[in-house]
């Protein structure tokens, strides 16, 4: 079977050499990055228990930060695994070991996590201060918030070569923190949403004193490329709160609060994603997306248009009759749903031609587009191709 025939399904008589050429062009487009997850789906969560090993974090006579946060992190992960078995939970540490700050964000980035939750406990010279705070990355608005970030970032001082590894960043110099002013990425809105849900849970369901959602320059949040929060579960410097944090039952309440915030966040993000997917199906009828035949082929090989032919909660063998003899069906998994596509091109008009043909055997097929392996909207693809 030659390369063109590989993209033509059996039993379909294609007479037009133009279409043959078109389909042939599809074959020449490399398949770039098979998407394992829709960007809006929460498939992988990295849970980061702060400190560990030689770095105790905030210390007190009653309890140390590193122990409290490890326990809460493990309890949170257990809840997520129990109620969302399809979600992959990764811990930056699950024992009492020292993990460099950069390594924590590396773990999240390398695993393409959809969410990063860092868990810490606070300390203050004023031992009467108590309560929870949830941070997102940003420039501190108060000296108090700056001091929390400075304290957490200071863990890099445990590493001998920190000034090289951390690009000259000095965690103890307030002037260094100006860099966080520019770090207002696309994940900011989602991070703030999760932070608000978390503080809401602490306050209303666990009865903690919520000190609110805040922004500050945490190195570990700056380095991760997904929505992220840093939770301060309470002050070990306050004896009453330290005694509260010490007990396993209370750690469980705090973990379940973060879990419920996670659950609500996941539901919200994924519901809005489904709405977007439905809109995309409607957009496919928009012929204004078709670029003229004379347009030079773009070099933007990161864009990949495909025709989605089936989706199912159960895996379908690629040679199943469900595909009506379509060949070269590809399987993608998105949030536990198996999605099957044919074709691969960075030219929208080519995929529309293929869709017309595929419709003869699978009438409800539709065009989907990926950018660097991640599902994006057709309108975003159009914008990318204009630039
Ligand atoms: Zn900490």
């Amino acid at each position: 079977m030659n390369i063109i025939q590989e993209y033509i399904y059996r039993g379909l008589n294609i007479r037009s050499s133009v279409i043959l050429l078109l389909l042939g062009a599809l074959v020449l487009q490399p398949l770039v990055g098979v998407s394992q997850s829709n960007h809006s789906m929460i498939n992988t969560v990295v849970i980061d228990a702060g400190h560990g090993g030689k770095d105790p974090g905030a210390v007190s006579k009653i309890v140390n930060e590193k122990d409290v946060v490890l326990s809460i992190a493990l309890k949170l992960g257990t809840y997520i695994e129990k109620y969302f078995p399809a979600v992959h939970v990764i811990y930056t540490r699950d024992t009492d070991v020292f993990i460099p700050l950069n390594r924590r964000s590396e773990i999240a980035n390398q695993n393409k996590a959809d969410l990063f939750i860092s868990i810490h406990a606070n300390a203050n010279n004023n031992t009467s201060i108590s309560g929870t705070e949830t941070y997102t990355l940003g420039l501190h608005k108060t000296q108090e918030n700056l001091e929390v970030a400075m304290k957490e970032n200071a863990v890099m001082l445990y590493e001998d070569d920190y000034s090289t590894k951390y690009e000259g960043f000095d965690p103890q110099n307030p002037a260094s923190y100006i860099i966080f002013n520019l770090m207002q990425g696309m994940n900011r809105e989602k991070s703030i949403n999760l932070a608000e849900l978390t503080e809401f849970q602490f306050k209303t369901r666990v009865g903690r004193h919520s000190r609110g959602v805040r922004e500050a320059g945490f190195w570990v949040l700056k380095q991760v490329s997904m929505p992220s929060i840093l939770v301060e579960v309470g002050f070990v410097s306050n004896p009453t709160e330290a005694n509260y944090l010490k007990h396993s039952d209370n750690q469980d309440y705090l973990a379940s609060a973060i879990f419920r915030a996670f659950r609500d966040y996941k539901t919200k993000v994924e519901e809005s994603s489904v709405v977007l997917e439905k809109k995309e199906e409607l957009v496919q009828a928009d012929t204004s997306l078709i670029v003229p035949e004379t347009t030079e082929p773009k070099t933007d090989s990161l864009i990949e248009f495909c025709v989605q032919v089936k989706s199912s909660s159960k895996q379908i063998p690629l040679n199943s009759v469900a595909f009506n003899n379509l060949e070269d069906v590809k399987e993608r998994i998105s949030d536990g749903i198996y999605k099957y596509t044919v074709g691969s091109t960075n030219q929208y008009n080519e995929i529309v031609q293929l869709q017309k043909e595929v419709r003869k055997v699978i009438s409800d097929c539709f065009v989907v587009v990926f950018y660097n392996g991640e599902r994006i909207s057709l309108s975003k693809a159009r914008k990318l191709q204009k630039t």
Side-chain angles (χ1 to χ4, degrees), residues 186-238:
M186 56 195 278
N187 291 326
R188 183 169 180 256
E189 197 180 324
K190 285 181 174 174
S191 303
I192 291 173
N193 180 236
L194 178 61
E196 284 170 346
L197 290 168
T198 304
E199 284 300 313
F200 176 80
Q201 285 290 336
F202 283 152
K203 187 178 177 180
T204 61
R205 298 290 298 277
V206 195
R208 305 309 296 161
H209 167 53
S210 169
R211 291 165 54 86
V213 171
R214 299 168 177 226
E215 285 186 343
F218 294 90
W219 186 271
V220 74
L221 299 186
K222 172 180 169 289
Q223 295 301 107
V224 296
S225 55
M226 69 285 312
S228 60
I229 57 170
L230 188 146
V231 183
E232 297 279 1
V233 293
F235 287 77
V236 300
S237 47
N238 177 306

Side-chain angles (χ1 to χ4, degrees), residues 51 65 120-121 152:
H51 315 277
E65 179 183 1
H120 289 258
E152 299 293 8

Side-chain angles (χ1 to χ4, degrees), residues 312-338:
S312 168
S313 58
K314 289 186 181 146
Q315 195 167 21
I316 306 173
L318 296 180
N319 59 359
S320 162
V321 291
F323 296 116
N324 284 336
N325 294 328
L326 284 174
E327 288 199 358
D328 210 39
V329 175
K330 290 189 172 60
E331 182 185 88
R332 301 159 191 269
I333 302 166
S334 174
D335 199 45
I337 303 290
Y338 293 91

Side-chain angles (χ1 to χ4, degrees), residues 50-51 55-58 65-66 69 118-122 148 151-153 155 218 230-232:
H51 315 277
D55 167 19
E65 179 183 1
K66 70 171 185 178
V69 299
S118 190
I119 302 175
H120 289 258
N122 229 328
V148 173
K151 178 172 65 71
E152 299 293 8
N153 291 331
V155 303
F218 294 90
L230 188 146
V231 183
E232 297 279 1

Side-chain angles (χ1 to χ4, degrees), residues 316-382:
I316 306 173
L318 296 180
N319 59 359
S320 162
V321 291
F323 296 116
N324 284 336
N325 294 328
L326 284 174
E327 288 199 358
D328 210 39
V329 175
K330 290 189 172 60
E331 182 185 88
R332 301 159 191 269
I333 302 166
S334 174
D335 199 45
I337 303 290
Y338 293 91
K339 296 183 175 179
Y340 297 90
T341 60
V342 294
S344 174
T345 174
N346 63 9
Q347 297 296 296
Y348 184 78
N349 56 338
E350 291 175 359
I351 208 68
V352 168
Q353 288 301 321
L354 181 64
Q355 184 200 12
K356 277 183 190 166
E357 294 304 318
V358 176
R359 267 196 178 147
K360 293 173 185 170
V361 290
I362 295 182
S363 59
D364 59 349
C365 68
F366 57 93
V367 172
V368 290
V369 56
F370 300 88
Y371 183 71
N372 202 14
E374 283 178 351
R375 178 90 185 266
I376 59 170
S377 67
L378 291 173
S379 54
K380 187 171 178 191
R382 183 166 56 171

Side-chain angles (χ1 to χ4, degrees), residues 107-123:
I107 290 169
N109 293 338
Q110 284 170 357
N111 285 286
K112 297 187 167 53
D114 303 299
L115 203 53
F116 180 82
I117 300 174
S118 190
I119 302 175
H120 289 258
N122 229 328

